């Protein structure tokens, strides 16, 4: 057995945060990019709201690109049920772990502020539904 | 270098200024699914107090098979919840085995450590990039 690609198509689409009042990631646009996923992230309000911390607040991003690795449920499986995205998001470094189950996409958002150690790293969880419309490929 | 792990009932771990309280995350954790071949089977989460590598470290033990039994110890990044900057509830840690790179992310909730394990293979690996979600409880202290 050698490395085989995971089909990212099951995760493609526009994913909308259920919580319309929440800050942080509001919309994830996921498109197939070869054997990978290409995410575009849009945030609402303060993306990592931490009260009473020093330093300027991080600015929310709009349509920020972030590549993601599609992940199967098992080493023998072929279709994506999850993704891992790592990289810069605005002024922050993030790890996004997303996983879908029965139409619900949960993303664990891990955020580090590399230029200001006074600002604590933040992890929050957000839940998304797939927007009605065409699947992006 | 010294290290310490505590349970919630133990004394809080010493920590430098601006470091959140990591006590809830420290300790020995065991996967609730003892027959699972995915993800780690056991996690040892410690805080190293001295030296250049001060901070949280996580040693993971796998389930065998294609993954190594002992993943070794790696430095972790700790995270707080958005409205609780003084308390850490989450960490991430990366294990690089050459032909496979594994990212473990975890958060603590009501005594449970919930992890996601993402494994990305390179050209020398076998199978598909995959993930697992697992649940860990603390090892039981016995007199």
């Amino acid at each position: 057995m050698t490395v085989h690609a995971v089909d990212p198509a099951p995760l493609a689409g526009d994913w909308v945060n259920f919580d319309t009042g929440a800050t942080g990631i509001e919309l994830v646009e996921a498109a197939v990019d070869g054997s990978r996923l290409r995410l575009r992230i849009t945030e609402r309000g303060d993306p990592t709201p931490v009260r009473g911390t020093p330093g300027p607040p991080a600015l929310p991003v709009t349509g920020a690109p972030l590549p993601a690795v599609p992940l199967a449920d098992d080493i023998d499986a072929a279709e994506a049920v999850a993704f891992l995205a790592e990289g810069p998001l605005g002024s922050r470094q993030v790890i996004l772990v997303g996983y879908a189950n029965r139409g619900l996409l949960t993303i664990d958002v891990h955020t580090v502020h590399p230029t200001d150690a006074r600002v604590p790293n933040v992890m929050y969880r957000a839940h998304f539904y797939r927007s009605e419309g065409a699947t992006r490929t | 270098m010294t290290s310490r792990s505590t349970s919630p009932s133990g004394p809080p771990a010493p920590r430098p200024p601006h470091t959140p309280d990591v006590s809830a995350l420290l300790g020995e954790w065991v996967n609730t699914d003892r027959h699972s071949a995915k993800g780690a089977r056991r996690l040892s989460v410690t805080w190293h107090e001295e030296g250049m590598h001060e901070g949280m470290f996580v040693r993971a033990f796998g389930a065998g098979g294609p993954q190594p039994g002992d993943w070794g110890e790696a430095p972790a990044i700790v995270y707080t919840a958005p409205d609780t900057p003084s308390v850490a509830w989450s960490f991430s840690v990366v294990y690089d085995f050459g032909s496979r790179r594994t990212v473990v992310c975890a958060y603590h909730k009501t005594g449970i450590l919930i992890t996601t394990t993402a494994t990305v293979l390179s050209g020398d690996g076998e199978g598909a990039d995959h993930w697992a979600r697992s649940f860990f409880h603390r090892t039981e202290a016995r007199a």
Side-chain angles (χ1 to χ4, degrees):
Chain A
M1 184 168 57
T2 58
V3 174
H4 65 259
V6 176
D7 180 8
L11 296 179
D14 293 348
W15 296 90
V16 180
N17 195 328
F18 280 90
D19 188 347
T20 56
T23 57
I25 296 178
E26 173 184 27
L27 173 66
V28 177
E29 300 165 273
V32 173
D33 184 12
S35 61
R36 302 294 191 183
L37 280 168
R38 185 178 64 252
L39 308 181
R40 286 170 53 86
I41 307 295
T42 297
E43 295 173 312
R44 180 196 299 117
D46 187 342
T48 53
V50 182
R51 297 191 190 111
T53 54
L59 297 175
V61 298
T62 301
L66 194 63
V69 179
L71 304 169
D73 194 39
D74 192 81
I75 199 167
D76 299 320
E79 291 197 337
V81 296
F83 65 75
L84 172 69
E86 301 171 275
L89 192 66
S91 61
R92 296 146 287 144
Q93 287 287 326
V94 298
I95 300 174
L96 306 185
V97 181
Y99 43 99
N101 185 17
R102 292 187 291 170
L104 169 71
L105 177 69
T106 300
I107 303 181
D108 294 347
V109 182
H110 306 76
T111 300
V112 172
H113 296 260
T115 59
D116 192 343
R118 297 171 302 172
V119 180
N121 307 327
V122 167
M123 195 287 262
Y124 69 91
R125 312 186 74 224
H127 306 284
F128 301 80
Y129 63 90
R130 197 195 301 267
S131 176
E132 295 178 11
T135 297
R136 290 168 181 260
T137 55
Chain B
M1 179 182 293
T2 62
S3 62
R4 171 179 298 196
S5 61
T6 65
S7 67
S9 59
R15 53 195 170 101
H18 309 302
T19 300
D21 181 0
V22 296
S23 299
L25 300 170
L26 300 180
E28 304 295 321
W29 298 90
V30 179
N31 194 325
T32 57
D33 185 356
R34 301 182 183 188
H35 303 293
S36 174
K38 299 194 296 183
R41 185 159 287 176
R42 190 158 59 88
L43 298 172
S44 177
V45 184
T46 55
W47 183 268
H48 293 196
E49 300 170 9
E50 301 172 5
M52 295 178 59
H53 302 292
E54 182 179 84
M56 180 178 286
F57 284 74
V58 179
R59 185 170 188 175
F61 299 88
Q67 61 179 329
D70 184 351
W71 299 4
E73 188 176 63
I77 299 172
V78 298
Y79 305 89
T80 65
D83 289 329
T84 317
S86 62
V87 179
W89 80 306
S90 169
F91 66 78
S92 66
V93 59
V94 178
Y95 299 92
D96 193 340
F97 304 118
S99 62
R100 58 195 296 145
R101 180 172 179 272
T102 297
V103 179
V104 177
C105 296
Y107 64 94
H108 176 263
K109 187 175 183 180
T110 61
I112 309 169
L113 190 71
I114 300 112
T115 69
T116 55
T117 303
T119 299
V120 179
L121 306 172
S122 65
D124 296 332
E126 293 187 342
D129 298 336
H130 57 281
W131 89 300
R133 191 162 190 249
S134 306
F135 305 90
F136 290 77
H137 64 84
R138 290 185 184 279
T139 54
E140 298 173 10
R142 300 184 187 281

